[in-house]
Amino acid sequence: MGSSSAPKIAAWSTQDSDQRRRLIEQLYAEDAEFYAEPGDDPVQRRGRTEIMDNITQVKRRVTQGVGLTTESTGFAENHDLLRVSWKMTAPDGNVAMAGMNLLIRNSDGVVVRDYILIG
């Protein structure tokens, strides 16, 4: 698995908000866009602050609230496109959710678009 997937997973996994902010600043362009369609509730965020707020909200509601942990299950890249597969695992070891993110990078190698696909 490539090391480029590590900041993405760590941003979703860390409990430390300062660490999360540093990872987001490292990973995303200032005006990056984030898209998700979990069920009937589409999510669109623009900019590092909105992305940070979204990750924090999900962590509070989903991961911290029920003890889920996020880990990478695969990684691939092709030019400016990255695919990071992941799973959220419950304390008993059962997989509660799995998906992938498709990330598009700019010429500086930072993410400008992040599409999350669940399922």
Side-chain angles (χ1 to χ4, degrees), residues 29-46:
E30 180 64 38
D31 60 348
E33 297 173 346
F34 173 87
Y35 301 94
E37 296 216 18
D40 294 330
D41 189 19
V43 174
Q44 180 176 353
R45 302 289 183 258
R46 183 175 175 95

Side-chain angles (χ1 to χ4, degrees), residues 29 31 80 104-112:
D31 60 348
D80 63 348
I104 300 172
R105 298 179 293 186
N106 66 18
S107 60
D108 294 327
V110 294
V111 174
V112 293

Side-chain angles (χ1 to χ4, degrees), residues 39-111:
D40 294 330
D41 189 19
V43 174
Q44 180 176 353
R45 302 289 183 258
R46 183 175 175 95
R48 289 181 186 147
T49 300
E50 287 187 17
I51 292 169
M52 170 79 174
D53 291 346
N54 184 70
I55 293 172
T56 300
Q57 177 187 34
V58 169
K59 287 198 67 57
R60 283 187 190 132
R61 183 174 39 95
V62 178
T63 58
Q64 290 172 343
V66 295
L68 300 178
T69 57
T70 305
E71 62 184 280
S72 176
T73 59
F75 172 83
E77 63 183 302
N78 184 342
H79 295 84
D80 63 348
L81 180 67
L82 302 173
R83 178 196 43 82
V84 178
S85 300
W86 50 265
K87 65 180 178 179
M88 288 185 176
T89 307
D92 64 6
N94 288 322
V95 175
M97 184 183 302
M100 72 173 70
N101 286 65
L102 297 176
L103 306 148
I104 300 172
R105 298 179 293 186
N106 66 18
S107 60
D108 294 327
V110 294
V111 174

